[in-house]
Structures are given as C-alpha cells and as structure tokens.
Amino acid sequence: SQQGEEDPQALSIQEGENATMNCSYKTSINNLQWYRQNSGRGLVHLILIRSNEREKHSGRLRVTLDTSKKSSSLLITASRAADTASYFCATVEVYTNAGKSTFGDGTTLTVKP
Amino acid sequence: DTGVSQDPRHKITKRGQNVTFRCDPISEHNRLYWYRQTLGQGPEFLTYFQNEAQLEKSRLLSDRFSAERPKGSFSTLEIQRTEQGDSAMYLCASSLGSSNEKLFFGSGTQLSVL
C-alpha cells in the first residue's frame, strides 16, 4: 500500500475560502513534499518540509509537519479557481538509499468561482 | 523548454504488443525515476537510475517491464506483451540527486491497451 494517505479524498470550496488537506504516513521520513497535478498532466512540486521542521510557508501555501503523529497538512489560503487540481503528499523514508518518493492517493480540490 | 519531456504523449496498442516510451530528463539531473499512475491513485514507483545505473526496481514490476538509461542521459521504458492491466499514465521524473531534492515530472505517456 502507499506510504501516505491524504484526507479528505475530495474537497469542494468557494473561491476565496481556505482549503486544508491532511496527509498521514507510516514510517520515519527524511522529508515530506506536496505536489499538485492538473488533470492529465504531470506533477508539479509545491513545497518541501524536512523532518526537523514544523512549519513552512510559500506564498499562499502553509505546510505543517508533526513527526510524532506522522502527519502533515497543507493549507491553501484565499483559494482561486485556478487552484483546482489534485494534491499529493510524498515522503522520502529514512532508510531508503534512493531518495525515492512514495506518494499518497491525493486530495481532489475543486474551487468554484 | 528545459523541463522533462516524454514521448509519446499517448499510445494505444493491442494486447500482446510491445511498447517503448522515452524520457528526456533535465540535462544536469543525474537521477531519473519512472512512476505509473492509474485514475484516482497516486504515482506508484517503478524504477530509478543514478546516472546510467539502475539502482532500484519495484518488486511489483513484472519481468515484462524493462528500463534503460544508456550514457546516463535519456531513458526508455519498454513493456513487452502488453496486458489490459498495463493501461495507465507512465510518468518520468528527474532530480539533482540528493534525497532532499524535489522531483521534476514530465507530462507523462498515457497508455491504453485494447
């Protein structure tokens, strides 16, 4: 099974509202990353948070990481219709020598104009 | 465009045929990954290269799948004797090579096996 699990599976909000997505994982990690994917396209990296960090910001994105609970959240503030996409968390495990990222099944976000 | 490019974008084939996909990573990236993604799921790791060496291959990957990266540049993924269950989006990604580096993805090759 996948390492990360996102919650909720789908989220629908109005433009201007905030969107929060959660990710839980199973093993010890080096870092956790969030990616975005528009329908039929490849994934685009959004933000990386290392295991010794608790919070990180990038523009309208805020990511938190709680290694004791093995969970992370992605907050998108003041959402726009263009934020409509699927969002995936990906983890790099401590004991992998490949830097291989393991992805969850994603949250599909719909932002209504 | 200096991003990751994949070719073809779409491939339709009949069951039992062989198919080959190509990935051109960002030129200075020495790590290259292949992932497979089906509808509603996240990308699933298939294999990874450090330069020309294939260093890890998913245990879920059958012997019908083979990947190469000659000279550590572009990579090819071949599927022999395709099955309907192989229908998926095949994604290639590259990175600079540290475990903390982000992945840069191509747009993928959508495979449909009839």
Side-chain angles (χ1 to χ4, degrees), chain B residues 20-78:
Chain B
T20 301
F21 309 140
R22 177 180 171 123
C23 171
D24 287 89
I26 295 172
S27 58
E28 61 266 28
H29 286 185
N30 54 34
R31 284 192 177 175
L32 186 148
Y33 301 81
W34 284 99
Y35 283 84
R36 176 172 62 190
Q37 186 180 27
T38 53
L39 198 61
Q41 305 290 312
E44 174 190 30
F45 173 79
L46 295 180
T47 189
Y48 127 86
F49 291 84
Q50 173 88 23
N51 299 313
E52 67 274 11
Q54 187 174 18
L55 296 187
E56 188 171 343
K57 191 174 176 181
S58 170
R59 289 171 293 172
L60 303 175
L61 208 59
S62 83
D63 291 342
R64 297 184 295 106
F65 288 71
S66 62
E68 293 183 344
R69 193 184 182 195
K71 303 178 183 177
S73 56
F74 71 92
S75 175
T76 58
L77 176 68
E78 181 183 17

Side-chain angles (χ1 to χ4, degrees), chain A residues 78-94:
Chain A
S79 63
R80 305 166 182 167
D83 294 329
T84 295
S86 292
Y87 293 83
F88 296 90
C89 68
T91 54
V92 177
E93 298 175 35
V94 169

Side-chain angles (χ1 to χ4, degrees), chain A residues 11 24-25 34 36 47-48 72 86 88 103 111:
Chain A
L11 180 61
S24 59
Y25 57 91
W34 285 90
R36 164 199 169 119
I47 194 165
L48 178 153
S72 173
S86 292
F88 296 90
F103 288 82
V111 181

Side-chain angles (χ1 to χ4, degrees), chain A:
Chain A
S1 62
Q2 298 285 62
Q3 157 80 314
E5 293 182 4
E6 285 89 344
D7 170 61
Q9 286 187 323
L11 180 61
S12 182
I13 59 174
Q14 292 294 136
E15 206 165 28
E17 294 180 339
N18 295 341
T20 299
M21 290 160 266
N22 303 297
C23 168
S24 59
Y25 57 91
K26 299 173 185 173
T27 64
S28 297
I29 61 172
N30 280 326
N31 66 69
L32 185 145
Q33 303 180 46
W34 285 90
Y35 289 81
R36 164 199 169 119
Q37 184 179 37
N38 288 83
S39 180
R41 308 294 295 180
L43 284 77
V44 175
H45 182 270
L46 294 176
I47 194 165
L48 178 153
I49 186 165
R50 293 183 169 79
S51 59
N52 61 353
E53 297 176 315
R54 292 297 168 257
E55 188 170 313
K56 204 159 183 181
H57 297 256
S58 177
R60 294 184 295 113
L61 305 180
R62 173 180 170 248
V63 169
T64 62
L65 179 64
D66 187 334
T67 53
S68 66
K69 295 181 180 178
K70 291 186 168 57
S71 67
S72 173
S73 67
L74 170 67
L75 168 67
I76 304 174
T77 59
S79 63
R80 305 166 182 167
D83 294 329
T84 295
S86 292
Y87 293 83
F88 296 90
C89 68
T91 54
V92 177
E93 298 175 35
V94 169
Y95 299 112
T96 179
N97 61 3
K100 178 185 74 180
S101 293
T102 304
F103 288 82
D105 286 336
T107 292
T108 300
L109 173 66
T110 302
V111 181
K112 301 174 190 174

Side-chain angles (χ1 to χ4, degrees), chain B residues 8 17 21 77 95-96 104:
Chain B
Q17 297 294 305
F21 309 140
L77 176 68
S95 74
L96 278 170
F104 292 78

Side-chain angles (χ1 to χ4, degrees), chain B residues 7-26:
Chain B
D7 182 68
R9 285 282 286 125
H10 303 275
K11 178 71 178 178
I12 299 173
T13 191
K14 293 182 179 179
R15 188 162 50 94
Q17 297 294 305
N18 299 343
V19 294
T20 301
F21 309 140
R22 177 180 171 123
C23 171
D24 287 89
I26 295 172

